[in-house]
Amino acid sequence: MMTPQKFCTCRPGATVWLTGLPSAGKTTIAHELAGRLCAEGRRVEVLDGDEIRSSLSAGLGFSRVERDIHVKRIGLVAEVLARNGVMALVPVIAPYADSRAAVRERHASSAIPYVEVHVATPVDVCRTRDVKGLYARQAAGEISGLTGVDDPYQIPENPDLRIEAHQQTAAQSATALHAVLKERGLA
């Protein structure tokens, strides 16, 4: 009788965490990269923070503790996917360094590759993009706790890649990230 394997024996998966301010371009880059990886025959899943907040993290607010819980939940899902040969692309703000470090450490303890990408778009550029209208709502006093404006964003000190998304196209950003994945044998 065969013993079930705990881990997938297909191509290795990994978690690619894209962190940055709201409207920095994280999700756009993730989808651009996902298309490329799929075209290469990779199994890919984009774990968008907003989508997961409405389901797996439904009911959580935006306090420090709730943001930490949200990040750790997404990190667990990404780890499980990566453990099973999926490239998990995670465009999630994750504003606190210790939350990101906890996700990285969990991946390391499971020997799952983890790549942290800082999408380093300045707040003034994000404010003009304002994809979801958050900056306008914050300026109007309708919301508070907007990351990078009236709530902290701790810039990653040593990301695996820093992308200046405001100085290049999403395709160029995805190309730079794809190159890092290739270097590491993940693409």
Side-chain angles (χ1 to χ4, degrees), residues 15 17-18 32-33 40 43 46 49 56 71 83 85 89-90 104 106 124 127 132 136-137 141-142 145 158-159 179 185:
T15 294
W17 198 289
L18 296 98
E32 178 76 24
L33 180 61
E40 294 173 357
R43 295 170 47 204
V46 176
L56 184 63
V71 166
R83 178 185 321 146
L89 306 180
V90 186
R104 181 187 288 272
R106 183 177 171 97
D124 291 339
R127 188 177 284 118
K132 299 171 195 154
R137 291 178 59 209
E142 296 172 14
N158 297 302

Side-chain angles (χ1 to χ4, degrees), residues 6-181:
K6 182 177 180 182
F7 300 107
C8 178
T9 58
C10 57
R11 292 175 71 177
T15 294
V16 178
W17 198 289
L18 296 98
T19 178
L21 297 174
S23 297
K26 301 176 301 296
T27 302
T28 302
I29 295 167
H31 283 289
E32 178 76 24
L33 180 61
R36 291 177 189 206
L37 293 169
C38 284
E40 294 173 357
R42 291 303 309 256
R43 295 170 47 204
V44 180
E45 187 66 42
V46 176
L47 299 175
D48 182 80
D50 292 332
E51 291 175 7
I52 291 181
R53 184 169 282 285
S54 69
S55 56
L56 184 63
S57 292
L60 288 180
F62 292 90
S63 72
R64 172 105 163 83
V65 170
E66 291 167 308
R67 288 176 191 237
D68 186 54
I69 291 168
H70 179 61
V71 166
K72 287 179 180 176
R73 285 179 181 175
I74 296 171
L76 173 62
V77 172
E79 179 193 345
V80 170
L81 288 168
R83 178 185 321 146
N84 287 282
V86 176
M87 185 68 68
L89 306 180
V90 186
V92 174
I93 296 169
Y96 304 111
D98 59 347
S99 297
R100 294 188 305 263
V103 173
R104 181 187 288 272
E105 288 167 17
R106 183 177 171 97
H107 278 71
S109 69
S110 298
I112 304 296
Y114 180 87
V115 178
E116 182 179 77
V117 179
H118 177 213
V119 182
T121 307
V123 70
D124 291 339
V125 174
C126 295
R127 188 177 284 118
T128 59
R129 290 178 179 174
D130 204 9
V131 177
K132 299 171 195 154
L134 296 174
Y135 293 94
R137 291 178 59 209
Q138 188 276 335
E142 296 172 14
I143 62 170
S144 63
L146 181 59
T147 301
V149 178
D150 59 353
D151 203 60
Y153 176 75
Q154 297 170 346
I155 296 171
E157 291 182 17
N158 297 302
D160 299 292
L161 176 65
R162 192 174 314 275
I163 294 175
E164 305 285 339
H166 60 293
Q167 296 179 351
Q168 59 191 25
T169 66
Q172 291 168 324
S173 297
T175 297
L177 180 47
H178 191 258
V180 169
L181 296 177

